[in-house]
Each structure stands twice: as C-alpha cells, then as structure tokens.
Amino acid sequence: MTDSRRPNDTGDFVHDARQELAGMLADGLDHPSTKPVLVWGALGAVAGAMLPFVSVGLGLAAGAGYKFYKRVRPD
C-alpha cells in the first residue's frame, strides 16, 4: 500500500533508503530528513558518552541509524 505522504515509497526498503539518502546528500540541510537524523545522531553520541561500554561513535551511529530507519519506514 502506498502512502500519499511518501510518493516515492516502493515497498522495497533498500531502494527507498537509497532514494532517501541520495535526496539527503543532494539537498543537504534543506531535505526534511537531514535535521532529524543529525539531531538523533547527536543525542545518541551524548548518550554513548554517558553510558559505560558504549562509545560516542557507536551512540552516534545508533541514534542516526534509528531515525533514518524511522524516516524510511515510519510505520
């Protein structure tokens, strides 16, 4: 089923993620997904710095990855 809010949603996660990432790289901060992904990455980095056995890089990747996934698959 297609979502009217996401006209490029094909149902294939890899294809949709590539399209979203390409749009983010092309549009920079003007793309609607860029700022939320960066904010969640920063929050993940802060959480990673505070938690034992978790590095800042892992927290950054986890936060940004989670938000990117939720932007591609909002359900």
Side-chain angles (χ1 to χ4, degrees), residues 9-65:
D9 188 5
T10 64
D12 178 25
F13 176 75
V14 174
H15 180 267
D16 294 341
R18 290 175 102 182
Q19 293 294 339
E20 189 76 12
L21 185 59
M24 289 171 66
L25 291 173
D27 296 341
L29 289 175
D30 292 332
H31 194 276
S33 293
T34 304
K35 290 177 187 173
V37 168
L38 291 176
V39 167
W40 276 75
L43 291 173
V46 170
M50 288 191 249
L51 294 172
F53 305 111
V54 178
S55 68
V56 172
L58 181 62
L60 175 92

